[in-house]
Amino acid sequence: MFEIRVICAPDDADRVSQTLAAAFDTGPARQYPTRDRKHTRLYLTADHRPTTPESE
C-alpha cells in the first residue's frame, strides 16, 4: 500500500481521481487547497491491483 499525492487544477480533480482509481485499487480521495488556493492537492491511499485473478 502506498500514498499518492497529486497537485492539479480544481477542475481536473475528479478526472484525476477517476483515472487513478482505474489504474490502482484506491480509497476515497482527500482534497485540500494548495497554500496559494489556485490548485487542489489530492491524497489517495492506493494498492496495486492483482495481476492474475485469484482462484478459489
Side-chain angles (χ1 to χ4, degrees):
M1 191 173 287
F2 53 96
E3 185 87 1
I4 299 173
R5 180 180 71 166
V6 177
I7 297 174
C8 61
D11 294 341
D12 292 335
D14 289 336
R15 183 178 57 83
V16 170
S17 295
Q18 291 171 357
T19 301
L20 289 170
F24 300 101
D25 186 15
T26 64
R30 299 172 313 278
Q31 294 188 25
Y32 303 99
T34 56
R35 290 182 185 148
D36 64 5
R37 306 267 184 216
K38 294 180 182 179
H39 294 92
T40 298
R41 289 180 291 144
L42 297 175
Y43 293 90
L44 296 100
T45 301
D47 203 355
H48 293 284
R49 293 189 186 272
T51 55
T52 58
E54 295 181 20
S55 59
E56 294 182 21

